[in-house]
Amino acid sequence: MSAVVELRGVAKAFGPAQVLRGIDLSVDEHQIVSLIGPSGCGKSTLLKCINALEPVDAGDIWLDGERVSGPGVDLNFLRRRVGIVFQNFNLFPHMTVLDNITLAPRKVLKQRRDAAEHEACRLLERIGLAAKATAYPDRLSGGQQQRVAIVRALAMNPRLLLLDEVTSALDPQLVGEVLSIIAELAAEGMTMILATHEMRFAREVSNLVCFLHEGAICESGPPEQVLGDPRNELTRAFLRREGATATAAAEAWLA
Ligand code: ADP
Ligand code: MG
């Protein structure tokens, strides 16, 4: 089976700072990959490179066998197929929930308004937010905004979903509702790469965990191995520190 996304030797610098140092990663359909590692190790940059929000300096990225990095890349092909959700939701504040969700399907996929809204309402129903369709984002809790942001990405029916620390900006009591949606998507077979600090959640939902250190994947493998019996001293040191900061909310969600 060919990979949904494949990275080979991906490198990226910001000025003198080498932020990604030759990343190799292959993600198959239905696979869920967690990127873990200390703040500044390059998780967000890696996700942005996959989505071409940041150009790579070297290396290649393929999506379903099509090259999606380097000059002349078809951004439309890429953005139709790859959804990304950020830590801070990034909903458009001047647009209703419904308009936030239907914007890309209408503009990029050329869906008719009624079809796009029908699908948006179905998705909102699913996450229990149908009543908020005409609300503006500032009327929603952080957890609700993040669920809308995830639905906005899902409305494009993406081939791959990138989630960048989507629970990090939430009050602890709101983390669980967002983790639940991700777990549901995982159960349905959505292919995902998630940067996360929720180690127990990563262990629960992912099939592959990659530990990044200073822009390189220094250990990767099944979650039980990387999180339960890490071989690399850097991974061990990171997990010792991170273990002390696991959120009570994630613990509660997993209980
Ligand atoms: P992480 O998500 O793992 O915390 P990031 O990918 O956000 O790490 O950042 C990796 C490094 O790249 C950090 O040192 C950060 O300061 C730097 N960096 C990220 N984005 C930019 C940018 N647009 N310009 C300059 N430096 C950046
Ligand atoms: Mg980040």
Side-chain angles (χ1 to χ4, degrees):
M1 188 175 62
S2 69
V4 172
V5 68
E6 178 145 12
L7 287 76
R8 270 189 231 152
V10 167
K12 174 76 187 171
F14 291 111
Q18 193 65 44
V19 171
L20 298 177
R21 305 166 187 267
I23 300 284
D24 296 320
L25 178 66
S26 180
V27 184
D28 289 332
E29 191 165 23
H30 310 312
Q31 206 176 9
I32 295 141
V33 177
S34 288
L35 305 176
I36 63 167
S39 180
C41 70
K43 302 180 294 294
S44 297
T45 305
L46 181 55
L47 294 177
K48 286 180 188 159
C49 284
I50 294 173
N51 205 27
L53 291 171
E54 290 288 355
V56 304
D57 297 336
D60 293 298
I61 304 176
W62 286 270
L63 185 71
D64 286 321
E66 290 266 334
R67 219 177 98 170
V68 292
S69 59
V73 58
D74 182 354
L75 285 181
N76 203 27
F77 172 88
L78 180 66
R79 302 260 165 85
R80 276 164 181 251
R81 287 166 181 78
V82 181
I84 187 163
V85 182
F86 300 98
Q87 185 172 333
N88 292 312
F89 334 135
N90 295 3
L91 294 174
F92 301 112
H94 60 290
M95 294 171 73
T96 64
V97 163
L98 199 59
D99 287 342
N100 264 282
I101 298 170
T102 57
L103 182 70
R106 289 174 56 209
K107 299 292 175 206
V108 181
L109 303 182
K110 311 291 180 204
Q111 285 180 9
R112 290 170 40 142
R113 178 189 282 273
D114 55 353
E117 290 188 347
H118 185 264
E119 175 62 7
C121 288
R122 190 188 68 82
L123 289 166
L124 283 172
E125 192 87 44
R126 221 189 106 174
I127 59 163
L129 289 179
K132 302 289 185 187
T134 57
Y136 286 86
D138 67 352
R139 310 306 297 172
L140 274 58
S141 73
Q144 290 173 333
Q145 289 186 54
Q146 191 58 295
R147 283 147 67 199
V148 169
I150 293 172
V151 157
R152 179 172 64 173
L154 294 178
M156 293 292 283
N157 194 19
R159 179 86 171 120
L160 173 69
L161 189 58
L162 309 174
L163 302 169
D164 192 1
E165 294 199 37
V166 292
T167 59
S168 296
L170 299 177
D171 292 337
Q173 74 273 16
L174 302 178
V175 167
E177 64 191 54
V178 172
L179 293 183
S180 294
I181 292 186
I182 301 169
E184 267 179 45
L185 292 173
E188 287 167 12
M190 175 67 75
T191 309
M192 294 188 272
I193 306 177
L194 42 127
T196 185
H197 279 290
E198 303 287 2
M199 296 305 141
R200 287 205 45 207
F201 181 72
R203 190 164 178 158
E204 201 81 9
V205 300
S206 43
N207 341 90
L208 183 75
V209 173
C210 299
F211 171 67
L212 268 80
H213 178 79
E214 295 178 358
I217 296 179
C218 78
E219 180 161 6
S220 71
E224 317 78 68
Q225 187 260 301
V226 176
L227 299 173
D229 184 22
R231 289 174 193 157
N232 190 300
E233 183 45 45
L234 292 165
T235 320
R236 276 200 286 268
F238 169 73
L239 290 174
R240 271 197 302 273
R241 288 196 305 275
E242 200 70 13
T245 63
T247 66
E251 297 289 320
W253 180 85
L254 288 156

